[in-house]
Amino acid sequence: MKSRRVTLAVALAIATLLSGCEQPATSPPDTVAAKVGDDTISEFELGRAVARLGGPMSATDAAEARGKVLEALVDQHLVSDAAKNAKLDKLPEVALAMQQAQRQVLVEAYMERLFKDLPKPSDSDIQDYYNRHPELFAQRKLYRVHELELQLAAGRVAEVAAQLKQSRSLAEFTDWLGTQGIAVKSGEAVRPAEKIPATMLAQLARMQDGQAVVVPMDEGRVSVLQLLDSQAQPVSLEQARDAIAQLILGGKRKTLLEAEIHKLRGSGKIEYASGFAPAPTEPAMQPGKP
């Protein structure tokens, strides 16, 4: 017969996984599942923890999981109490981590409430997204690329792009980079369109086999892509429907969250100590304007 008692290592692993669903101190009274010293583990806490394991499970498996999770929570409480007795919660790094964990739980709860009334994308929304992104669906390809990742100051991007055009091969261009003391990481990969950043994909979709292009990524980093070859692998609307729905929802959530943060920043009191204030951002350049 299987033991319903898990080892401490397994218990701690499960408890770590479930740590985000511990019952708040201010939660309403609930049936007690176990007591550990002066602490209680409620049936609500246990039920939430078991739900995190996923399902569905048979009645036998559910009962076994419930027993193992309860023992994991008991062990979690015991180790937590031992840490408090050792005054580990007073260590600056531990206290900071606890504060950050609490803030993260509150942030996730706030976002869940913020997003709960977002409507699901309609069929016309999904069709429109599919039509507007042929590079991801109807004209989707697998790209085999040779990529050079450069650590490069923004002021040298034009120089590097000019040298790439002048070079007779990528090997000759790589040799030139070496003479300039520019750090390079080189690699070859096969990637589907949806796994390629939009800035790269926009370039690759227009390139012929063998062509290479410079793609600025972020501050201090530039990618040089050479398209070795590509293979068409289109995706139908029905195949892409669920993925598109998630992409649309993700975009709506991002927009809503950015607007909410903008509102909170406008109404909140924020003071930066000397030397820590963020640099002012320049207004976005309008298309077609120099």
Side-chain angles (χ1 to χ4, degrees), residues 45 48 51 79-80 82 97 139-140 153 170 186 225 227 243 269 272:
E45 179 183 351
R48 288 290 300 273
V79 176
S80 176
Q139 298 172 17
R140 174 181 178 268
L170 198 64
S186 176
L225 296 177
L227 178 60
K269 183 179 179 181
Y272 293 100

Side-chain angles (χ1 to χ4, degrees), residues 100-245:
Q100 290 174 331
Q102 184 181 46
R103 282 197 300 270
Q104 184 60 33
V105 170
L106 289 171
V107 166
E108 290 174 2
Y110 192 89
M111 289 194 297
E112 183 177 346
R113 187 179 68 173
L114 186 66
F115 299 150
K116 70 181 178 64
D117 293 326
L118 278 177
K120 292 183 178 179
S122 66
D123 287 344
S124 61
D125 290 335
I126 293 173
Q127 177 74 65
D128 179 63
Y129 192 97
Y130 182 89
N131 292 340
R132 286 189 292 107
H133 296 280
E135 74 282 3
L136 294 175
F137 306 112
Q139 298 172 17
R140 174 181 178 268
K141 294 180 180 179
L142 286 179
Y143 296 92
R144 187 166 67 93
V145 297
H146 188 169
E147 181 177 359
L148 304 178
E149 184 178 303
L150 316 180
Q151 298 300 314
L152 190 66
R156 300 198 67 184
V157 173
E159 175 193 358
V160 167
Q163 182 61 43
L164 178 64
K165 288 183 179 180
Q166 296 173 14
S167 299
R168 290 169 294 181
S169 67
L170 198 64
E172 180 179 303
F173 173 70
T174 303
D175 290 341
W176 177 83
L177 292 174
T179 66
Q180 300 298 305
I182 298 173
V184 180
K185 289 183 181 178
S186 176
E188 186 177 314
V190 177
R191 299 178 188 170
E194 66 274 14
K195 297 296 184 182
I196 299 174
T199 51
M200 288 187 178
L201 183 59
Q203 296 278 0
L204 288 171
R206 300 192 298 265
M207 290 166 58
Q208 301 294 321
D209 291 357
Q211 276 189 294
V213 67
V214 173
V215 183
M217 300 301 293
D218 49 34
E219 188 174 353
R221 192 166 67 93
V222 169
S223 182
V224 177
L225 296 177
Q226 183 184 43
L227 178 60
L228 300 178
D229 57 60
S230 61
Q231 178 183 351
Q233 281 201 355
V235 175
S236 70
L237 175 60
E238 287 309 309
Q239 289 174 315
R241 183 174 295 277
D242 291 343
I244 292 175

